């Protein structure tokens, strides 16, 4: 009996038992859809998905929505790979001519609803992608789906749901959910959604002005994920709010959450096991479905994985990767038999795929009651403004170290603070070692609270300067008398453009305000579950913090402890867990903040219009209060990267400054978004130089170009010439002035050597002439006396 028939029988028994147990029979009819094009690339994915569909026990029929042009269909060989419903191909848009194959998904779903008889006899629809392996039945009502509340997997990178993109493309931005991959919804909701899904996909695809990575999250910035936004924006327009889950669909290579059995694997990303790896894009033109008995490279065996990975937590993720690859290959074996291929030769790998061990590993995974974790709504209404009458006192903090790198940042920060109108006092938390403090010159740059440096951890010896921020806050809280009710915490590499107050941004006790740090993906995965008891309370925030003093008193020590905890756990430094592209644990302090706040259930009001990175496109109407120049930014050929000035002393050298940014007339004139971006970048650069200029003026630096700037004290020694500045003069010189002074110095030196040389010759001539005059009277006795004197001193031995 064929394996697929056995699988079908098993699936029927599983579903029968499932229906009896849940009490959910007809009319809860389920139909599964997936969309493909007629290419070899989608054919081998179809084989894998269809095989896993049969093994998983997924109830109801499945339909492949096949998008093909007439020319493609002439040579297409895969019509029998799955139950198929042919739909028009919109890879090349019929009106605009735009090449965008991903639009075929909403086109196919809409066409199926309008023209398929099956669509008339369905209650629930499950929509998947072709590059998936089903591990167990996907039952919408067991997942929590309801009419008007679809179920979906979390796609956290769809940041366009948080910014200008959503406000441009839907009237209901508060309903925009970052979802995709696994979709389960009632047929009535799909009928409303489908046309909006298509039209919004077209809208986003045509909005090329907003394709950039910082707006969409698309790392290529090419509008390739327009279809995903089409879905989210279309659902928002339809008033559909999703129940969102982040652990039932998993990417091979990731580790599942403890206690959760994923029911779907999405192999859209590369994954590896030891030296073995798989990337679907490597098989874009692969004819593997039609090449008899050819399989994908076999992965290691489970027993090998147990040997190579002793950690059971990580080993569980690797076993899932094995299952994904082996299920694909098992499906190919059965497909080759269907194609009439000869029976393959026996191999150890084929024997394993037919073994009871493999059958046991890949048996259908059933949902455990209560195991479906629904993420909290990300669009909670802001609290009522509690401030009435007199506003509370505010204290602003920022953290630095005693280096010139932080000193020029401090000068820029303090200058902008004075101009911003920020109420209340300000304190610089200055972390220094005793040795560094002895030679430190920047004591007067800001009101300062001195704290011991923890750059080198006193217990572990770990070098991690970022830990100074929470350590300094803890020290400040325990060593000062604070009369402020709210604290605003900022970074040194910031320029304030206006006041940041708790009453304007609606902070409250138990409800701090912060700005989004969406790259902190550890709040969405196992990192949060490892480091906090309340992972659902983990907010991806940082940069600007507005917090009630009583919350800060409870929270600060958690911030420090969680920072140490995350920093020490090196096995979870990986980019896929943390989002840290360097995988060095450098952002441990940021996670320390988020995990510490989660421990206390401090949920933030996340405001994306407080802070902007220069170089990013501003959102229309946003009144940003802070520039955070932590990243490189450019305007034309001019650029600024703070890291390039790490070792430059701009504070103690008169009139030192950064290269001037271009004038506003040099920015884009046609594209308003780019124009506004460049104007903000120029403003940031100008503000830094303005701060440096006023700093040097306060230090009574002589006016640039004045005589006093030219004065130099020159001490000369034979073979060593030292130039010293007169006290208070500029150490840095304009290149032309320096060259002029150096040329003058060279002339004096040459003249000095010439005079010395002439004088030496005159003296030698006089001595020589005197010796000649006395030569007849000295004789042999004189010569013997000379030799004796040399010998006695030890300088010469004539014997």
């Amino acid at each position: 009996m064929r394996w697929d028939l056995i699988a079908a029988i098993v699936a029927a028994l599983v579903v029968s038992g499932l229906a009896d147990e849940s009490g959910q029979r007809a009319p809860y009819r389920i139909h599964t859809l997936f969309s493909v094009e007629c290419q070899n690339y989608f054919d081998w994915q179809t084989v894998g998905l269809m095989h896993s569909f049969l093994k998983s026990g997924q109830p109801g029929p499945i339909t492949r929505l096949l998008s093909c042009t007439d020319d493609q269909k002439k040579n297409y060989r895969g019509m029998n790979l799955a139950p198929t419903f042919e739909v028009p191909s919109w890879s090349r848009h019929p009106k605009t001519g735009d090449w965008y194959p991903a639009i075929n998904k909403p086109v196919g779903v809409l066409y199926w609803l309008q023209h398929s008889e099956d669509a008339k006899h369905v209650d629930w629809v499950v929509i998947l992608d072709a590059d998936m392996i089903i591990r167990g039945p996907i039952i919408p009502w067991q997942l929590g789906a309801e009419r008007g509340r679809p179920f979906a997997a979390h796609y956290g990178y769809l940041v366009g749901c948080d910014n200008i993109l959503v406000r441009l493309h839907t009237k209901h931005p508060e309903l925009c959910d970052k979802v995709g991959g696994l979709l389960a919804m009632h047929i009535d909701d799909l009928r409303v959604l489908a046309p909006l899904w298509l039209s919004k996909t077209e809208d986003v695809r045509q909005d090329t002005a907003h394709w950039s990575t910082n707006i969409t999250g698309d790392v290529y910035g090419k509008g390739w994920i327009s279809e995903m936004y089409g879905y989210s924006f279309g659902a928002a327009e339809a008033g559909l709010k999703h129940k969102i889950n982040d652990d039932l669909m998993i990417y091979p290579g990731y580790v599942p959450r403890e206690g959760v059995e994923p029911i779907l694997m999405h192999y859209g990303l590369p994954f590896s096991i030891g030296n073995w790896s798989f990337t679907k894009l490597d098989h874009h033109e692969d004819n593997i479905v039609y090449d008899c008995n050819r399989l994908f490279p076999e992965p290691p065996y489970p027993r090998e994985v147990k040997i190579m990975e002793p950690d059971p937590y990580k080993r569980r993720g690797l076993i899932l990767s094995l299952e994904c690859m082996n299920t694909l290959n098992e499906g190919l074996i059965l497909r080759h038999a269907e194609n009439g291929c000869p029976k393959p030769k026996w191999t150890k790998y084929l024997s394993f795929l037919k073994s009871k061990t493999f059958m046991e590993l890949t048996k259908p995974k059933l949902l455990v009651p209560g195991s479906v974790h629904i993420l909290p709504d990300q669009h909670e209404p802001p609290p009522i403004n509690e401030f009435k009458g007199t506003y509370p006192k505010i204290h602003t903090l920022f953290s630095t170290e005693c280096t010139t790198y932080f000193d020029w940042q401090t000068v820029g920060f303090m200058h902008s603070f004075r101009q911003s109108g920020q109420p209340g006092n300000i304190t610089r938390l200055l972390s220094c070692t005793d040795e560094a403090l002895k030679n430190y010159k920047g004591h007067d740059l800001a009101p300062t609270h001195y704290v011991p440096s923890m750059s080198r951890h006193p217990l572990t010896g770990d070098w991690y300067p970022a830990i100074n921020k929470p350590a300094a806050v803890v020290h400040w809280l325990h060593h000062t008398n604070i009369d402020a009710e709210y604290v605003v915490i900022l970074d040194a590499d910031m320029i304030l453009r206006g006041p940041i107050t708790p009453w304007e941004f609606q902070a409250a006790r138990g409800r701090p305000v912060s700005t989004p740090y969406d790259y902190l993906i550890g709040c969405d995965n196992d990192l949060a579950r490892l480091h906090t008891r309340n992972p659902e309370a983990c907010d991806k925030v940082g940069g600007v913090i507005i917090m009630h003093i009583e919350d800060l008193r409870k929270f600060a020590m958690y911030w420090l402890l969680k920072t140490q905890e995350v920093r020490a756990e090196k096995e979870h430094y990986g980019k896929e867990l943390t989002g840290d592209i360097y995988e060095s644990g450098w952002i441990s302090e940021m996670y320390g903040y988020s995990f510490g706040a989660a421990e206390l259930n401090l949920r933030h009001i996340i405001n994306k219009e407080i802070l902007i990175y220069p170089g990013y496109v501003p959102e229309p109407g946003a009144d940003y209060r802070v520039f955070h120049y932590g990243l490189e930014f450019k305007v034309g050929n001019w650029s600024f990267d703070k890291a390039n000035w790490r070792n430059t002393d701009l504070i103690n050298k008169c009139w030192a400054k950064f290269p001037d940014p271009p004038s506003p007339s040099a920015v884009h004139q046609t594209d308003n978004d780019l124009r506004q971006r460049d104007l903000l970048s120029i403003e940031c650069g100008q503000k830094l130089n303005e701060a440096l200029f006023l700093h040097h003026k306060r230090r009574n630096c002589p006016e640039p170009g004045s005589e006093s700037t030219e004065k130099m004290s020159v001490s000369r020694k034979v073979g060593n010439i030292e130039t010293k500045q007169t006290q208070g003069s500029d150490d840095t010189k304009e290149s032309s002035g320096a060259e002029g002074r150096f040329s003058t110095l060279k002339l004096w030196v040459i003249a000095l050597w010439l005079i010395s040389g002439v004088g030496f010759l005159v003296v030698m001539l006089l001595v020589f002439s005197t010796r000649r005059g006395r030569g007849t009277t000295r004789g042999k006795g004189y010569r013997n006396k000379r030799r004796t004197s040399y010998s006695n001193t030890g300088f010469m031995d004539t014997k």
Side-chain angles (χ1 to χ4, degrees), residues 636-676:
N637 294 326
W638 177 88
S639 66
F640 181 84
D641 185 345
K642 71 170 187 175
N644 293 336
W645 302 89
R646 183 175 294 276
N647 299 314
T648 305
D649 188 352
L650 296 161
I651 299 304
N652 301 306
K653 299 177 181 179
C654 278
W655 309 118
K657 66 173 185 175
F658 301 109
D660 287 320
S663 67
S665 61
V667 306
H668 289 266
Q669 299 298 326
T670 54
D671 189 314
N672 187 58
D673 283 346
L674 299 182
R675 173 179 168 77
Q676 295 304 318

Side-chain angles (χ1 to χ4, degrees), residues 253-256 272-273 305 308-321 530 569-574 576-577:
Y254 281 47
V255 179
S272 60
I273 305 167
V305 170
M308 74 171 66
E309 182 49 74
D311 186 341
Y313 178 77
K314 295 180 181 178
R315 187 166 64 234
R316 185 167 173 243
L318 295 179
I319 293 295
L320 275 177
S321 297
L530 285 169
E569 194 186 12
K570 295 183 178 180
E571 63 266 29
H572 292 106
Y573 276 9
E576 74 279 1
L577 281 174

Side-chain angles (χ1 to χ4, degrees), residues 18-175:
L18 186 65
D20 288 338
E21 186 177 323
S22 65
Q24 299 285 7
R25 294 183 179 274
Y28 293 94
R29 299 163 295 182
I30 303 172
H31 200 114
T32 303
L33 300 175
F34 68 104
S35 174
V36 300
E37 301 160 47
C38 45
Q39 301 172 8
N40 289 338
Y41 178 58
F42 286 104
D43 284 357
W44 63 257
Q45 294 178 40
T46 297
V47 167
L49 181 62
M50 287 302 303
H51 177 58
S52 68
F53 175 85
L54 293 172
K55 292 189 70 170
S56 69
Q58 174 67 10
I62 187 170
T63 295
R64 174 179 63 160
L65 305 176
L66 183 64
S67 303
C68 290
T69 64
D70 292 337
D71 286 340
Q72 288 174 324
K73 276 195 290 187
K74 292 176 183 177
N75 302 311
Y76 184 59
R77 295 178 287 174
M79 292 303 296
N80 65 338
L81 297 180
T84 299
F85 186 77
E86 295 184 50
V87 299
S89 174
W90 276 34
S91 295
R92 179 74 65 189
H93 196 283
K95 293 182 180 179
T96 67
D98 177 41
W99 177 257
Y100 181 57
I103 202 173
N104 284 315
K105 188 173 182 180
V107 168
V109 170
L110 181 60
Y111 196 83
W112 178 80
L113 286 170
Q114 294 172 338
H115 300 283
S116 170
E117 284 297 314
D118 289 338
K120 300 176 182 177
H121 309 288
V122 177
D123 298 293
W124 294 93
V125 178
V126 175
I127 302 175
L128 305 175
D129 290 334
D131 57 344
M132 290 180 167
I133 296 295
I134 309 172
R135 304 183 71 235
I138 303 171
I139 314 297
W141 55 87
Q142 285 191 349
L143 298 174
E146 306 172 55
R147 189 177 299 201
R149 293 296 306 275
F151 176 91
H154 186 229
Y155 271 3
Y157 58 85
L158 296 180
V159 297
C161 275
D162 300 326
N163 58 39
I164 184 176
L165 199 66
V166 70
R167 292 195 289 276
L168 287 171
H169 294 287
T170 174
K171 301 172 186 175
H172 304 287
E174 73 283 357
L175 297 179

Side-chain angles (χ1 to χ4, degrees), residues 61 98 171 286 342 373 385 450 520 535 549 579 581 617 635-636 643 655 665 690 712 730 734 788 798:
D98 177 41
K171 301 172 186 175
D286 203 321
H373 172 66
N385 194 331
Y450 297 87
L520 297 180
I549 187 64
I581 59 174
V617 175
V635 180
W655 309 118
S665 61
E690 179 183 301
M712 301 177 67
D730 188 5
E734 297 295 334
T788 303
T798 59

Side-chain angles (χ1 to χ4, degrees), residues 12 30 55 111 128 136 196 208 268 356 360 378 415 433 495 514 524 587 621 656 686 780 797:
I30 303 172
K55 292 189 70 170
Y111 196 83
L128 305 175
L196 293 168
T208 57
K356 290 183 180 179
E360 182 67 22
Q378 299 298 309
H415 173 60
T433 63
I495 295 294
S514 192
D524 300 328
I587 58 177
Q686 288 176 337
K780 185 176 179 180
D797 188 359

